Amino acid sequence: MKRLAVLGHPVAHSRSPAMQNAALAELGLGGEWIYEAIDVAPGRFAQQVRQMAAEGFVGANVTIPHKEAALELADAPSHDALAIGAANTLSFTGGEIAAHNTDAGGLLNALPESPRGQRALVLGAGGAARAAIWALARSGAVVSVWNRTLDRARTAYQQIGGSVQLGGGPVESPRQEDYGIVVNTTSVGLEGEDPFKQLPLDPDGFGDQVVVDLVYGAEPTRLLAAARQAGATVVD
Ligand code: ATR
């Protein structure tokens, strides 16, 4: 079997095995390839990846909280992954670990229109946030970043600002109505947390905006349900 996996912590919520195995079956590769979810604690991530490369895995997707570690351990990081400072896709060839970032292009593809000229607010400062910040800025948006730990927002902003003009800044108390695009990249909502307690957002404060939630679930997240109710365009 050719083996693929998604690595995360937690990872039980991930739809990647269902999506990727369905794609493999659709391509007639279901008997030959298999995609699984593997829960890896942060302290064991690098060891786990090296072991997978040695055992003949073909590649892996990487999710919370390993996207920065995935870039660090790569032998051959892509230009985009380096600029973003995070990777969500690893491939193993002849013992070499290559790292890519598909979060950036994925976010842009999911938006209803180009973010050029828009003010965008990114919530979070982890690997997914970095990809969102970089993708939005590269596409001409003015990007502000809020994070629970403000210092992490400052660091992400400075690092990504070295390769692309960001325009906005790290913000401590953003006014959500000031932004044409709001992107939640934090894990808030993944385990049922109330986004309106943990994030600087008010359920009644949305308007004619695009609101994106990287958290996914069987139902629209509480964040997207409230945004839609208030008339925003939502992207799940
Ligand atoms: P990923 O690489 O997938 O983005 P991550 O690096 O673990 O994952 O980032 C998770 C993000 O969710 C971080 O911005 C984190 O905030 P901190 O930097 O302050 O830890 C954010 N986050 C997680 N739980 C949160 C909560 N309860 N309230 C607000 N932000 C939260």
Side-chain angles (χ1 to χ4, degrees), residues 64-65 67-68 124-128 147-149 152 185-188 198:
I64 277 184
K67 291 180 181 179
E68 288 153 83
N147 194 48
R148 174 178 64 178
T149 316
R152 233 182 138 202
T185 75
T186 74
S187 53
V188 173
Q198 317 269 330

Side-chain angles (χ1 to χ4, degrees), residues 132-178:
I133 296 165
W134 184 83
L136 290 164
R138 279 260 303 211
S139 302
V142 174
V143 185
S144 299
V145 187
W146 172 91
N147 194 48
R148 174 178 64 178
T149 316
L150 187 62
D151 261 355
R152 233 182 138 202
R154 289 200 184 103
T155 304
Y157 199 87
Q158 274 166 4
Q159 287 174 352
I160 299 166
S163 68
V164 65
Q165 180 85 24
L166 298 178
V171 283
E172 206 165 351
S173 309
R175 285 161 31 108
Q176 77 201 69
E177 60 273 30
D178 289 349

Side-chain angles (χ1 to χ4, degrees), residues 73-96:
L73 64 75
D75 305 308
S78 73
H79 174 268
D80 290 3
L82 274 177
I84 291 164
N88 72 335
T89 305
L90 299 172
S91 57
F92 312 130
T93 320
E96 186 181 85

